[in-house]
Amino acid sequence: MTRQIIGGAFVSLDGVIQAPGAPHEDETGGFAQGGWLVAHADAALGNQIETIFAPPFDLLLGRKTYEIFAAHWPYYPDDDPIAAAFRRCRKYVLTTSDMALEWEGSERLADLDALAQLRAGEGPKLVIQGSASLYPQLLQRGLLDRLVTMTAPLVLGTGKRLFGDGTPARAFRLIEHRTGASGMAMATYEPAGPVETGSFATQAPSDAELARRERWKTAG
């Protein structure tokens, strides 16, 4: 059976996924809200995380998330289930940099072609955690098989978005949805092709509407 690429994303209501776990996790761009997920952790969120990381799996990471993980998880003891699972799995890093990948079990993927080849082969699911830079690329190439969003009831205003610049328009199909006592909303989606458009209008547009459309074509 070929692999699946599954994205797991902690996200705010305004789409930010930067530094959910700790204040100094990622201060890029002056981000000062690190650790925003901690106050909303509950049993339902824990269950969802366990589901995403149910073995067997390998990790698929961008360079920056790899750096965060490699400086953190190898130093946790094996009685931490996530640390133990991360120690056992392969870590695939999609990056064009020549940085040393010193975390045991790490392997570089030079480009999306290499990732597509890996996905087409046999092996466990490839789980993305964080790594905002990956999603636009994966959607563009049709390489994302499933997306699990774990949305906290807050707005952060600034920070790296789940779907940043360059994200193509795509529709998704809801597979599962659950909520937690803390207000977390967890949803599982699968890509469902191009975005379909339509109109709720039931009659021909008025002259005023046609004029508005023309004005807005050149509006700033």
Side-chain angles (χ1 to χ4, degrees):
M1 183 175 67
T2 59
R3 295 174 183 256
Q4 281 194 320
I5 296 178
I6 299 172
F10 304 121
V11 60
S12 68
L13 289 174
D14 55 339
V16 175
I17 67 171
Q18 186 169 350
H24 303 294
E25 180 179 319
D26 182 0
E27 296 173 287
T28 303
F31 188 71
Q33 305 293 336
W36 51 267
L37 181 67
V38 176
H40 300 282
D42 59 16
L45 178 62
N47 179 262
Q48 184 68 79
I49 294 170
E50 290 177 0
T51 300
I52 293 171
F53 291 113
F57 71 89
D58 289 332
L59 283 173
L60 173 61
L61 305 169
R63 179 183 61 80
K64 290 184 178 179
T65 301
Y66 175 82
E67 289 191 54
I68 293 170
F69 277 27
H72 178 82
W73 289 113
Y75 303 96
Y76 265 56
D78 273 339
D79 60 3
D80 183 289
I82 296 295
F86 283 2
R87 188 167 290 118
R88 291 190 300 267
C89 76
R90 297 291 296 173
K91 279 73 73 173
Y92 293 97
V93 188
L94 185 63
T95 180
T96 57
S97 80
D98 59 357
M99 66 172 288
L101 303 180
E102 297 179 348
W103 191 7
E104 182 181 0
S106 299
E107 183 174 333
R108 189 186 320 275
L109 296 174
D111 52 33
L112 290 176
D113 289 337
L115 175 58
Q117 184 175 1
L118 176 67
R119 175 176 173 263
E122 295 186 355
K125 62 189 177 184
L126 295 162
V127 177
I128 307 166
Q129 184 61 60
S131 299
S133 63
L134 294 184
Y135 287 101
Q137 303 177 68
L138 296 179
L139 286 176
Q140 189 69 53
R141 285 287 295 268
L143 295 177
L144 183 67
D145 296 291
R146 180 165 285 196
L147 175 65
V148 182
T149 59
M150 294 159 279
T151 306
L154 49 80
V155 173
L156 295 171
T158 62
K160 299 174 184 176
R161 257 63 179 185
L162 174 61
F163 296 117
D165 294 342
T167 301
R170 294 290 187 274
F172 284 83
R173 175 174 57 253
L174 180 67
I175 303 299
E176 181 186 55
H177 183 266
R178 67 181 80 170
T179 56
S182 70
M184 293 293 299
M186 287 144 292
T188 301
Y189 301 94
E190 291 182 352
V195 174
E196 297 182 6
T197 62
S199 175
F200 288 112
T202 57
Q203 61 185 30
S206 66
D207 289 343
E209 166 62 10
L210 293 173
R212 180 199 63 79
R213 294 179 188 178
E214 290 301 317
R215 288 197 306 273
W216 283 26
K217 285 180 181 179
T218 58

